[in-house]
Amino acid sequence: MKPHILQLNPILIPAINDKLAQRYTVHRLFEQSDKDAYLREHGASIRGVITGGHTGIQRDMMEKLPALEVVAVNGVGTDAVDLEYARSRKLPVTGTFGALTEDVADLAVGLLLATCRGICSGDRFIRAGNWVRYPQPSAIPLARRVSGMRVGIVGMGRVGRAIAARLAAFGCPISYTDLRAMDDVPHTFVGNLVDLARQSDALILAAAADKAEGIVNAEVLKALGPQGYLINIARGRLVKEDDLVAALKAGTIGGAGLDVFVDEPNVPEVLFGMDNVTLQAHRASATHETREAMGELVLASLEQALAGKRPEFSLTT
């Protein structure tokens, strides 16, 4: 008899869904109209849960799953999971750590290039037929060079290091802040975020920082300055969004590239008309390669836990 698994979010890779169906009886809670009734009917048989970083799983749901042996997060964010309760039940909570690194770092650099060089606004200019109407070079403002920019990275973990490696190839001096200085990186540690912003032409947020909130505020943005750029591929709530909007409107900073927001999918509409802002819909890991790798890590976590082993990427056991 196949183990029963509860799936809280869809997985978009068919090959992963096929493997799940081959190995488990999968209960897709996200397809159910009456989720409480569905849990009452099937909850006692559930041995594993697959969820996403945003959805997570809270104590009240885990309490309805008495046979639960593992929570496999298809992502790296665990702030929506009640980790303390999971620890109290000795439940492994796993993430897909490492699978997202390259694509997230790629998008961070892409957002910096797109914002500084006006790639998206230039594309819109041409699509609107404006190049024909306004062929003079001055119709499009001059852009900002990325090569050689002083880059400050907030969070020198896997993603922060991958971003640093990419931008070092652009000749960018790299500084960073984190909970502590890292002995195994060649970059300059700056202990204070305001100081890091003041010393940077571009500030890139790459911190997991599950419990941090609003660390990039008006003071940090003022320190970044009118020639500075903010890139966020970490967590939307790391930025005080009202302060960011005000800074962009006032020209306190030069621009921003944003993949994450405070209240997704709701993005401040005032940003839509700003040519110095590049927007993405939380897509940093959204490639076939990364999503397949994430799915394989979810499968591995389920297999290890249900075989009575400690999953490799468990945060709680």
Side-chain angles (χ1 to χ4, degrees):
M1 183 175 175
K2 296 179 182 178
H4 289 247
I5 301 297
L6 185 69
Q7 189 175 349
L8 306 188
N9 296 95
I11 290 176
L12 302 179
I13 303 297
I16 300 300
N17 288 313
D18 290 345
K19 290 180 182 180
L20 282 169
Q22 290 166 10
R23 301 175 191 181
Y24 306 108
T25 298
V26 181
H27 299 269
R28 296 178 175 85
L29 188 65
F30 60 89
E31 295 179 348
Q32 308 306 316
S33 56
D34 189 340
K35 293 177 173 54
D36 288 335
Y38 192 83
L39 286 175
R40 285 194 295 272
E41 181 179 356
H42 299 285
S45 65
I46 299 299
R47 295 178 61 191
V49 164
I50 300 170
T51 187
H54 292 291
T55 301
I57 184 170
Q58 290 301 305
R59 176 173 182 159
D60 60 343
M61 184 178 290
M62 287 189 277
E63 287 177 338
K64 297 172 184 175
L65 309 174
L68 186 61
E69 297 176 45
V70 60
V71 173
V73 178
N74 189 29
V76 295
T78 57
D79 42 315
V81 179
D82 191 330
L83 296 177
E84 290 306 314
Y85 178 71
R87 289 188 184 98
S88 74
R89 281 183 56 176
K90 296 182 171 55
L91 286 173
V93 176
T94 67
T96 55
F97 307 111
L100 294 76
T101 301
E102 304 304 326
D103 280 336
V104 175
D106 285 352
L107 188 66
V109 176
L111 284 171
L112 182 61
L113 285 165
T115 306
C116 290
R117 295 301 305 269
I119 292 173
C120 296
S121 59
D123 177 84
R124 290 191 295 270
F125 183 86
I126 292 175
R127 289 176 189 273
N130 286 330
W131 198 10
V132 173
R133 288 193 287 270
Y134 309 103
Q136 63 272 26
S138 60
I140 301 176
L142 293 177
R144 172 70 159 86
R145 178 188 293 169
V146 171
S147 294
M149 290 181 82
R150 300 171 302 161
V151 174
I153 297 176
V154 181
M156 193 51 76
R158 289 185 181 94
V159 172
R161 292 171 189 230
I163 293 169
R166 285 156 173 74
L167 289 174
F170 283 76
C172 296
I174 308 293
S175 301
Y176 71 97
T177 194
D178 208 308
L179 298 177
R180 59 176 178 82
M182 309 288 181
D183 296 332
D184 57 343
V185 297
H187 311 299
T188 303
F189 174 73
V190 180
N192 181 277
L193 181 53
V194 173
D195 290 339
L196 180 67
R198 188 175 293 114
Q199 298 169 25
S200 300
D201 300 312
L203 189 67
I204 301 179
L205 307 186
D210 285 342
K211 295 182 180 179
E213 188 170 348
I215 61 173
V216 176
N217 54 23
E219 183 183 12
V220 172
L221 296 168
K222 183 179 179 181
L224 186 57
Q227 303 302 316
Y229 292 80
L230 178 72
I231 306 298
N232 190 3
I233 44 80
R235 299 284 189 275
R237 69 172 181 276
L238 291 177
V239 178
K240 286 192 173 180
E241 212 157 67
D242 289 345
D243 289 358
L244 175 60
V245 169
L248 288 164
K249 290 172 68 175
T252 302
I253 65 171
L258 309 170
D259 183 49
V260 289
F261 303 88
V262 172
D263 182 27
E264 295 174 358
N266 300 302
V267 176
E269 291 188 10
V270 67
L271 299 178
F272 297 171
M274 295 183 178
D275 281 343
N276 60 339
V277 177
T278 305
L279 305 172
Q280 286 286 290
H282 205 144
R283 301 276 293 169
S285 67
T287 69
H288 291 286
E289 294 82 0
T290 283
R291 292 297 169 85
E292 184 166 0
M294 291 168 64
E296 291 292 349
L297 289 179
V298 167
L299 289 168
S301 292
L302 293 173
E303 181 179 355
Q304 291 161 6
L306 298 184
K309 303 175 182 177
R310 178 190 178 276
E312 180 181 359
F313 292 110
S314 174
L315 293 173
T316 52
T317 58

